[in-house]
């Protein structure tokens, strides 16, 4: 892969996540009945940052969880011989809650479909909203994010890579050309 551009640096990501936190509070008219769930893997640290931002704005700690969708993927047999199953960590009842699902990149929508299916195995939320750091288009399923850090129109020969300190010792969003 060939690096084409750095789309977001650390300050840009921080500003986007702060804006998303404000938008979540505004849309939900506060934080009552609100919970944030990050989709493993890179959605989890983004969800934690959004939850921290909401806490600093509203002075209220909200429930946060981690969702593993590997067993709900529709490409499970194509992706891996033996899927790697991470542990879902949601230690609160999601029934009746307004859930904000958080992920790094929205592409086809298949990850979102799998996440919603996994959530409904855990309970029946009042609503499910979607927060995405980068929306790159090319949807195959009819999902639209409620909160977007950056819209990045891409071609199918391009790849967006979100780098976070937990995994990459860097914070950025990069656009690559696939050779």
């Amino acid at each position: 892969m060939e690096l084409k551009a750095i789309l977001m640096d650390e300050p840009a990501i921080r500003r986007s996540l702060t804006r998303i936190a404000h938008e979540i509070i505004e849309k939900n008219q506060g934080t009552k009945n609100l919970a944030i769930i990050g989709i493993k893997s890179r959605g989890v640290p983004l969800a934690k940052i959004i939850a921290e931002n909401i806490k600093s704005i509203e002075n209220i700690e909200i429930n946060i969880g981690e969702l593993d969708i590997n067993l709900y993927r529709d490409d499970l047999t194509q992706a891996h011989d033996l899927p790697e199953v991470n542990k879902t960590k949601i230690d609160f009842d999601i029934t009746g809650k307004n859930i904000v699902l958080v992920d790094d990149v929205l592409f086809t929508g298949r990850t979102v479909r799998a996440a919603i299916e996994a959530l409904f195995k855990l309970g029946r939320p009042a609503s499910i909203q979607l927060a995405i750091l980068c929306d790159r288009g090319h949807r195959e399923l009819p999902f639209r994010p409620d909160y977007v850090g950056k819209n990045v129109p891409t071609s199918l020969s391009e790849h967006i890579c979100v780098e976070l300190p937990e995994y990459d010792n860097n914070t950025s969003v990069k656009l690559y050309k696939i050779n």
Side-chain angles (χ1 to χ4, degrees), residues 12-146:
I13 292 170
R14 186 174 43 250
R15 285 190 302 273
S16 289
L17 296 176
T18 299
R19 178 178 41 78
I20 287 171
H22 281 282
E23 290 173 354
I24 289 169
I25 294 165
E26 184 177 340
K27 181 173 182 167
N28 290 281
Q29 299 173 351
T31 59
K32 185 179 182 199
N33 223 25
L34 185 67
I36 296 184
I37 297 176
I39 300 172
K40 288 193 170 186
S41 62
R42 284 173 171 75
V44 172
L46 296 174
K48 289 177 181 177
I49 294 168
I50 292 170
E52 289 169 10
N53 289 341
I54 289 172
K55 183 180 178 183
S56 72
I57 297 163
E58 292 289 302
N59 201 27
I60 292 176
E61 203 159 315
I62 60 172
N63 288 319
I64 185 164
E66 301 176 6
L67 186 64
D68 176 21
I69 62 156
N70 279 333
L71 290 179
Y72 298 92
R73 294 175 55 109
D74 61 3
D75 64 350
L76 190 61
T77 56
Q78 297 171 14
H80 306 285
D81 291 335
L82 290 172
E84 181 181 325
V85 179
N86 297 305
K87 189 175 177 185
T88 289
K89 195 163 88 176
I90 300 174
D91 39 359
F92 54 91
D93 186 6
I94 68 166
T95 301
K97 295 253 191 253
N98 296 314
I99 302 293
V100 179
L101 273 175
V102 180
D103 205 5
D104 57 347
V105 178
L106 180 58
F107 183 32
T108 63
R110 293 185 181 279
T111 296
V112 176
R113 185 216 49 88
I116 291 171
E117 187 176 333
L119 277 180
F120 279 120
K121 295 284 186 185
L122 301 172
R124 189 173 191 280
S127 70
I128 299 174
Q129 301 162 31
L130 182 59
I132 297 294
L133 184 59
C134 288
D135 183 351
R136 66 169 289 190
H138 303 286
R139 218 72 79 239
E140 294 174 4
L141 299 173
F143 291 108
R144 179 182 51 83
D146 299 277

